[in-house]
Amino acid sequence: MRFIDPHIHMSARTTDDYERMAAAGIVALIEPAFWLGQPRTQVGSYIDYLSSLVGWERFRAAQFGIHHYCTIGLNSKEANNEALAEQVLEVLPRYLVKEGVVAVGEIGYDDQTPVEDKYYRAQLALAKEFDMLVQVHTPHRDKKSGTIRSMEVAVEMGVKPEHVVIDHNNEETVKDVLDRGFWAAFTIYPNTKMGNERMVEVARKYGSNRIFIDSSADWGVSDPLAVPKTARLMLDRGIAAKDVEAICYGNALKAFGQSGQMREEHWLNPAPIDQRMLFEGNSVLRGQTPRVGEPAIVERTDSVVFK
């Protein structure tokens, strides 16, 4: 079985993670624009970060046989710095048209402040203007009302539900999201957002229509193998293979494939890996013998996934 991780912050991860993800069967990922763990102080650091998402990180993933896509946006935490947010909003359009950008995201609410609402609406308007999909971060606090508000504002701004991925769902929000016609994504964070055993029960109750999972792995305690591990658990607990495939691969492709930027053919017949290649003069290697001519898709084993 192949996997897609449609929400993971690889800029904060290591090459070891890329190697393990490829070995576990992950063929593609989506990296949403994110915050650094501490506040940015100027728009220049945003510009360099967004440039790395459409440049260096795409190259780095390809060196390990994984196709890298991204979403571009102003995150909800930093929307509260209004001076910075105004400047970031001005630079976003230049990145929305870059190759590999599949949506505006991740955007939405954190504390649901008036300023967050202002920039959420502004970015929904950008999505409309550029005819793009939207990836929505739902708040950790007051989750249900924040999720419903996110959907209502998207509709109010004229964005079609089928063009919006509502992320970080739980048992409390999933029915509303599905009933309103949005895509429902779940982040597998065992201690906060959603554990994989709980996810098995969500799949059992709601099936696989418009549902998919991600790891949201970042610089914090998180697991870049959360998608394949949860797939294994679903199979072990009796979820049908076709539903597991939809939740861990096919639905993310259907949702973000609407962008026209993400297509299965990108990884079905991939070019062999060649780690001799450079990006702006830089390699991913540090004295190692480069992998050259190896297939991008490798045979995975469960021992790799569960190690």
Side-chain angles (χ1 to χ4, degrees), residues 259-274:
S259 67
Q261 291 276 345
M262 184 179 188
R263 297 194 295 273
E264 195 173 40
E265 67 197 54
H266 292 167
W267 55 83
L268 287 186
N269 297 294
I273 290 173
D274 184 352

Side-chain angles (χ1 to χ4, degrees), residues 28-199:
L29 62 86
I30 297 172
E31 179 161 8
F34 191 44
W35 72 304
L36 297 176
Q38 64 181 46
R40 292 182 177 88
T41 59
Q42 53 187 307
V43 70
S45 64
Y46 235 108
I47 291 172
D48 288 340
Y49 170 65
L50 297 179
S51 296
S52 75
L53 293 187
V54 298
W56 169 251
E57 207 56 46
R58 278 171 65 84
F59 168 81
R60 201 165 74 105
Q63 295 301 288
F64 299 93
I66 295 178
H67 287 261
H68 181 286
Y69 307 88
C70 67
T71 66
I72 294 290
L74 168 71
N75 68 81
S76 53
K77 273 184 178 290
E78 289 175 316
N80 288 297
N81 180 344
E82 199 163 6
L84 174 66
E86 283 295 325
Q87 296 176 73
V88 172
L89 213 60
E90 288 184 13
V91 305
L92 291 182
R94 80 172 76 160
Y95 291 99
L96 295 179
V97 297
K98 298 286 188 184
E99 183 179 359
V101 178
V102 295
V104 176
E106 59 181 304
I107 63 173
Y109 298 110
D110 183 42
D111 283 329
Q112 302 187 56
T113 65
V115 181
E116 290 172 18
D117 185 66
K118 173 183 176 180
Y119 290 105
Y120 178 47
R121 290 172 183 270
Q123 293 182 92
L124 290 170
L126 268 181
K128 280 275 290 180
E129 179 184 346
F130 285 80
D131 191 23
M132 295 185 73
L133 306 170
V134 179
Q135 183 183 42
V136 172
H137 164 95
T138 53
H140 304 304
R141 298 170 292 280
D142 204 4
K143 165 74 79 178
K144 185 167 184 177
S145 69
T147 300
I148 291 172
R149 184 181 180 186
S150 301
M151 294 187 288
E152 289 178 343
V153 170
V155 171
E156 184 183 322
M157 293 296 295
V159 181
K160 296 177 181 176
E162 62 265 34
H163 289 172
V164 181
V165 174
I166 302 293
D167 210 344
H168 312 320
N169 278 283
N170 60 24
E171 296 91 339
E172 190 181 32
T173 61
V174 57
K175 185 175 186 305
D176 283 309
V177 173
L178 294 175
D179 285 350
R180 293 170 189 240
F182 292 79
W183 294 91
F186 291 79
T187 290
I188 308 301
Y189 266 13
N191 298 315
T192 54
K193 296 182 175 73
M194 170 63 68
N196 53 12
E197 292 193 343
R198 289 164 57 196
M199 190 64 223

